[in-house]
Amino acid sequence: MMYHSNRLIKAYERVGYQTKPNDLGVGVVGVIECNWLQPTHNKQDFDYTKQYRACISALGSKLNDYWNEKKQGATRSYQSAPANAQIPLDRPDQSWVQCDRCLKWRKLPDTVHADSLLEKWFCEMNTDPVYRYLVVKLLLGYQFEKLVIP
């Protein structure tokens, strides 16, 4: 996604591996604020200038580097695994869980796997004490005045 002065100009631009007919780069989304580029008069695209082409080229190389690092890092960490071990090939970079009470999404620490959680999960079950404390304050009523609709 490419923004100019906090305005979304290009919602999706394929770069790097994504421009070729293969499975490389699938699911990778980048966000960039590119105020140095000039948007067109209708603000739905950027002028096709040397700066724009250089930006797209740089984004493509960054995406390719990120993709290669993630794939090679995954294969490197599993090379020492025993032959009969099952290797999770599609493990996400981050795991998120939604609280069944407040419906907010919380990022799980890298040490906690989503498969090990109970069927119902609440914010007070968060292993990060900072977020657990904020939720306890909310549950005790310190911030309920913001939630009350007159």
Side-chain angles (χ1 to χ4, degrees), residues 15-145:
V15 295
Y17 287 150
Q18 296 173 339
T19 59
K20 308 214 177 0
N22 55 32
D23 290 339
L24 301 176
V26 175
V28 178
V29 177
V31 179
I32 182 171
E33 177 80 23
C34 41
N35 291 329
W36 66 90
L37 296 177
Q38 183 64 35
T40 57
H41 67 284
N42 62 2
K43 299 194 179 356
Q44 294 184 5
D45 203 351
F46 289 103
D47 288 335
Y48 195 71
T49 61
K50 184 177 180 180
Q51 290 177 328
Y52 175 76
R53 291 190 301 273
C55 178
I56 293 296
S57 175
L59 291 174
S61 67
K62 294 285 186 192
L63 179 131
N64 294 349
D65 292 344
Y66 173 80
W67 185 262
N68 291 335
E69 178 184 328
K70 286 298 175 185
K71 290 302 173 182
Q72 289 174 357
T75 57
R76 250 188 274 124
S77 64
Y78 297 129
Q79 285 176 351
S80 60
N84 60 355
Q86 292 183 348
I87 299 172
L89 297 177
D90 295 330
R91 185 167 181 260
D93 295 341
Q94 299 175 350
S95 296
W96 292 78
V97 64
Q98 187 177 24
C99 175
D100 288 323
R101 180 176 296 119
C102 68
L103 302 179
K104 289 186 180 179
W105 286 91
R106 306 287 183 191
K107 181 184 176 297
L108 292 174
D110 294 334
T111 57
V112 178
H113 296 287
D115 300 335
S116 66
L117 298 176
L118 299 173
E119 188 172 323
K120 290 200 174 268
W121 188 88
F122 302 103
C123 291
E124 58 266 17
M125 296 176 179
N126 198 340
T127 57
D128 190 351
V130 173
Y131 292 112
R132 191 177 334 128
Y133 175 72
L134 292 174
V135 171
V136 168
K137 279 179 40 178
L138 178 70
L139 292 176
L140 291 176
Y142 290 110
Q143 297 178 0
F144 276 125
E145 63 272 5

